[in-house]
Amino acid sequence: MSAASVAGGSAVTAATSRLSINQGTVKHASLAEALQATTDAGVPAIGLWREPVQEVGLDVAASMVADSGLRVSTHCRSGFFTMPEGPARRAAIDDNRRAIEEAAALAAAGAEGSVAVLVLVAGALPDGSRDLLGARSRVRDAIGELAPYAADAGVQLAIEPLHPMYASDRCVVSTLGQALDIAADFEPAVVGVTVDTFHIWWDPEVLPQIARAGREGRIATYQVCDWKTPLPADVLLSRHYPGDGVIDFASLTRAVEDTGYDRDIEVEIFNADIWSRSAATIARETAASFSSAVAPHLRTP
């Protein structure tokens, strides 16, 4: 892939050469629309989501990705395996195996530099339970089941800690340190972590934990977006363009770069106001915000 163009789209600049648009940022776009908007904005990579891929089927999606000329930076998302043993847990494990297969196929279809990274969101505290430690332990057990399968497929599982406000309904892994503790039982090439600024910027241990993740070779993907208050009623949709909030992208990005991380950097935004715009507009605005707020702090354009 030429540094001057992506599938005939706008020129890739030094400021956008490592940018990836996570498909969640263009939530209402089809896979075809997301690929087109990304290339037209001069962005060289995309992070894919399972639902749009499944709408067209894996084989068709892989062909579309190959035709786009884009790199694949991640496949989002799987996990959700905090429930006790039983049919629901078995179904979740089986679905995660399918997600691993998807991640491998899509990365193989992507342009040079694509990586097979499957982002894992642990899942919520089970209904009626107050056993947070038990739920977190079951996350580790589930990853233990999936790790051999991921290794055989050449896929890296990326545990994503989510902000503690999501612990009861979405993710019982709340800090980078907790994610790294779970990953420590597995080879780094098989189980790593997702460093997402929205979820970890507040943590007083964030910089030491990023350094630890680097020493352990665990940073599978770096995702960025901003935190701005007041939060909306639906706190899931509270993510903003980099530079529009309070997160210090200079310190976080430099910390990640200092580990030697040189993969693509995803902008992942859930925001109803942003989603109401066209995919082309969102892609252009994403590239502009990344160029001003994140790119100046990169060591490897």
Side-chain angles (χ1 to χ4, degrees), residues 128-273:
S129 174
R130 293 181 173 85
D131 184 10
L132 187 60
L133 295 180
R136 203 171 289 144
S137 177
R138 288 191 291 275
V139 172
R140 188 262 169 237
D141 292 344
I143 292 174
E145 281 194 63
L146 294 168
Y149 196 80
D152 288 344
V155 171
Q156 186 179 29
L157 306 176
I159 305 168
E160 181 172 15
L162 267 58
H163 190 281
M165 65 182 171
Y166 299 115
S168 65
D169 68 347
R170 192 161 296 270
C171 183
V172 299
V173 178
S174 300
T175 69
L176 192 54
Q178 290 170 354
L180 288 167
D181 288 346
I182 294 171
D185 290 337
F186 309 98
E187 289 297 319
V190 179
V191 182
V193 296
T194 298
V195 177
D196 185 322
T197 59
F198 179 84
H199 294 301
I200 65 172
W201 71 275
W202 59 273
D203 186 350
E205 293 298 314
V206 64
L207 296 181
Q209 291 301 325
I210 289 174
R212 173 191 170 189
R215 289 194 304 272
E216 297 177 3
R218 300 280 181 187
I219 302 180
T221 182
Y222 180 39
Q223 295 180 335
V224 297
C225 75
D226 220 333
W227 177 290
K228 184 178 180 181
T229 49
L231 300 179
D234 185 348
V235 294
L236 183 64
L237 307 184
S238 57
R239 301 164 73 108
H240 294 265
Y241 287 127
D244 284 355
V246 300
I247 293 178
D248 179 7
F249 291 100
S251 65
L252 294 174
T253 301
R254 288 170 183 162
V256 171
E257 290 287 282
D258 284 347
T259 69
Y261 179 84
D262 61 359
R263 292 179 177 178
D264 291 317
I265 299 168
E266 290 187 3
V267 174
E268 183 186 53
I269 297 171
F270 306 152
N271 183 300
D273 289 339

Side-chain angles (χ1 to χ4, degrees), residues 21-72:
I21 294 181
N22 183 285
Q23 204 171 355
T25 303
V26 287
K27 170 75 171 179
H28 300 310
S30 66
L31 178 58
E33 291 167 340
L35 293 170
Q36 190 64 56
T38 301
T39 58
D40 286 350
V43 175
I46 190 167
L48 297 167
W49 271 66
R50 297 189 69 198
E51 291 83 357
V53 166
Q54 291 171 351
E55 283 177 3
V56 300
L58 180 58
D59 290 344
V60 172
S63 178
M64 292 169 66
V65 169
D67 290 344
S68 76
L70 294 169
R71 296 190 296 267
V72 174

